[in-house]
Amino acid sequence: MTDAQPKQPRKIVIKLGTSTLTDGTEHLSFPRLFDLVRQIVQIQSQGCQVILVSSGAIAAGREALDFPELPKFIPAKQMLSAVGQPRLMSYYDQFFRMFKLVVSQVLLTRSDIIDRQRYLNARNTIDALTTLNIIPIINENDAVSNDEIRFGDNDALSAYVANLIEADLLVLLTDQEGLFSDDPRRNKDAILIPLVDGPEIPPEIWYAAGGAKSKLGTGGMATKITAADLARRSGTEVVIASGRKQDVLPRIIKGDRIGTRLLPIVSHLESRKRYILAGKRSKGILQVDAGAVNALLAGGSLLPVGIVGVDGKFERGDTAVIKTGDGRDIAVGLVNYSSSDIKQILGRKSSEIEQYLGYTLGDEVVHRSNLFLL
Ligand code: GLU
């Protein structure tokens, strides 16, 4: 790890796995859960926006129904998750409420991230929640997930969420200290790797993690590395650390040497560009006036007032090219409104959107975080 103090991360995704929440037992551990809530409140009060990705629904469901074995039959697991999820949320609600914080539930499947419209919706919802200091608590929508649309494990889900909201930091809390040079249960000389900063995660780290499967959660160390790799490729720093360490979260935020820190290998900007370019290329074109060109060049969003023409048919979440009046391409972005909506609001003030459409999806036709300049 570098000795330079990292800048205080602002948006932090924290992933709590079943083994952390149960403290390695068959039941949710309330002391552990409460202590983690206390730590989250502490870092939130220091100016961080926390987004929680929490497992534990199936564990809570098993507890509620006194279900001794984790079933292999998928509908039975889904049933347990459906029973457990509201219970899990009620524990979070009670604990956060003691600190006067409000919680919210967001259940996602992989298709919510792949579908551009739902991607925008999920992102806007999480943004709206964190702006009001509400803690989003995210889990996989187990009841409707199947192999094709599920993330598979919450490690992967947390990496996608980090990408979705362009988190500064993803913290994967687990029952191990971090990543090791060898499997620490088989080799006493295995050493903790404090920092991964190269472009590739070294093969010995993957190898060492291969056997470290935990019986309680879905993920093992290998899924954590896969998730960490994904997050750092989308511009997010990652820390993998033990959820049992005293004050682990405030210490990570302070930049203490704890667990394994993996540095991002691209900027959020490059990652966003990749995501936007990988999207369905609509033939959509937005022609804008000189004022809008200046605003875009200065890093602003595209507002309806600056649009003078729309070509092509496209939906919210599609990619459109933004052109100057004389036909030069200046930017590409994900649109917040469909082409038919834009036709009704172009040239108007953002405050008039609701009047013309009967609803509003935000002031911007393309938000600055969803566009890049050509
Ligand atoms: N969604 C599952 C649950 O809440 C957990 C999946 C996982 O831990 O990876 O129990």
Side-chain angles (χ1 to χ4, degrees):
M1 198 179 107
T2 50
D3 285 329
Q5 277 294 307
K7 79 172 186 353
Q8 168 113 330
R10 230 171 45 81
K11 274 197 236 173
I12 304 172
V13 176
I14 299 172
K15 188 262 172 175
L16 301 177
T18 305
S19 62
T20 302
L21 296 173
T22 57
D23 229 348
T25 70
E26 298 273 308
H27 300 280
L28 289 177
S29 160
F30 292 125
R32 171 71 61 218
L33 193 57
F34 184 78
D35 187 54
L36 288 164
V37 166
R38 175 194 64 76
Q39 292 182 49
I40 292 168
V41 173
Q42 183 178 336
I43 61 174
Q44 180 102 349
S45 73
Q46 291 167 353
C48 299
Q49 288 179 339
V50 174
I51 294 95
L52 211 58
V53 173
S54 177
S55 309
I58 294 180
R62 282 169 73 187
E63 209 164 84
L65 298 179
D66 216 1
F67 224 83
E69 287 294 311
L70 182 60
K72 294 259 181 302
F73 184 48
I74 306 275
K77 275 197 195 167
Q78 290 173 309
M79 177 274 291
L80 289 176
S81 174
V83 170
Q85 181 65 25
R87 292 173 81 93
L88 182 67
M89 284 307 299
S90 95
Y91 304 141
Y92 277 121
D93 179 46
Q94 286 172 50
F95 291 159
F96 275 107
R97 205 187 272 251
M98 289 179 192
F99 299 97
K100 306 221 165 354
L101 279 177
V102 175
V103 297
S104 57
Q105 170 183 274
V106 180
L107 299 178
L108 297 175
T109 61
R110 205 155 56 86
S111 47
D112 298 321
I113 305 275
I114 294 166
D115 180 286
R116 304 266 151 160
Q117 215 174 113
R118 274 139 72 182
Y119 167 93
L120 281 180
N121 294 343
R123 179 168 152 143
N124 292 350
T125 303
I126 295 169
D127 269 354
L129 291 166
T130 50
T131 305
L132 290 180
N133 230 15
I134 296 168
I135 314 271
I137 302 180
I138 301 175
N139 198 353
E140 175 131 35
N141 193 351
D142 289 329
V144 299
S145 294
N146 61 25
D147 274 354
E148 271 155 45
I149 61 163
R150 63 196 299 266
F151 291 102
D153 58 74
N154 278 6
D155 295 322
L157 170 60
S158 66
Y160 280 101
V161 169
N163 181 9
L164 176 74
I165 60 160
E166 299 191 356
D168 299 295
L169 178 68
L170 165 65
V171 179
L172 298 168
L173 289 186
T174 175
D175 48 8
Q176 291 192 37
E177 299 289 312
L179 300 178
F180 283 85
S181 58
D182 198 354
D183 186 342
R185 294 167 312 167
R186 284 195 308 241
N187 179 357
K188 288 206 173 45
D189 296 329
I191 50 163
L192 180 73
I193 315 263
L195 179 74
V196 177
D197 57 359
E200 298 299 331
I201 296 179
E204 58 275 18
I205 296 187
W206 287 100
Y207 181 76
K213 285 263 175 205
S214 139
K215 283 203 303 296
L216 294 153
T218 320
M221 261 343 226
T223 63
K224 282 178 186 62
I225 303 180
T226 308
D229 200 30
L230 185 67
R232 64 200 294 261
R233 285 176 200 286
S234 62
T236 298
E237 183 170 324
V238 183
V239 174
I240 302 178
S242 164
R244 293 184 195 167
K245 271 251 182 314
Q246 176 80 25
D247 281 322
V248 60
L249 294 174
R251 288 172 62 195
I252 290 172
I253 302 311
K254 248 175 54 204
D256 280 3
R257 267 170 188 266
I258 190 165
T260 303
R261 203 172 271 268
L262 301 101
L263 301 185
I265 51 178
V266 296
S267 66
H268 283 308
L269 194 75
E270 288 165 73
S271 151
R272 186 191 314 149
K273 188 168 160 179
R274 239 180 13 218
Y275 180 84
I276 293 172
L277 283 179
K280 195 169 100 210
R281 290 307 287 263
S282 77
K283 299 222 165 51
I285 295 171
L286 297 170
Q287 271 155 12
V288 300
D289 65 15
V293 172
N294 288 339
L296 293 174
L297 294 179
S301 299
L302 177 63
L303 305 178
V305 72
I307 301 177
V308 292
V310 192
D311 271 339
K313 194 169 158 32
F314 51 87
E315 295 302 322
R316 170 172 156 80
D318 284 348
T319 307
V321 177
I322 302 171
K323 280 184 189 279
T324 58
D326 56 10
R328 270 183 306 123
D329 292 357
I330 57 159
V332 175
L334 296 187
V335 286
N336 271 334
Y337 293 90
S338 67
S339 47
S340 57
D341 279 357
I342 298 173
K343 283 186 185 137
Q344 295 181 63
I345 57 175
L346 62 82
R348 315 244 178 237
K349 291 204 204 88
S350 295
S351 56
E352 297 172 325
I353 294 177
E354 195 176 339
Q355 183 189 330
Y356 285 92
L357 297 183
Y359 59 85
T360 167
L361 292 163
D363 287 352
E364 307 82 11
V365 170
V366 181
H367 191 272
R368 62 176 185 278
S369 64
N370 290 324
L371 67 76
F372 67 89
L373 299 173
L374 294 170

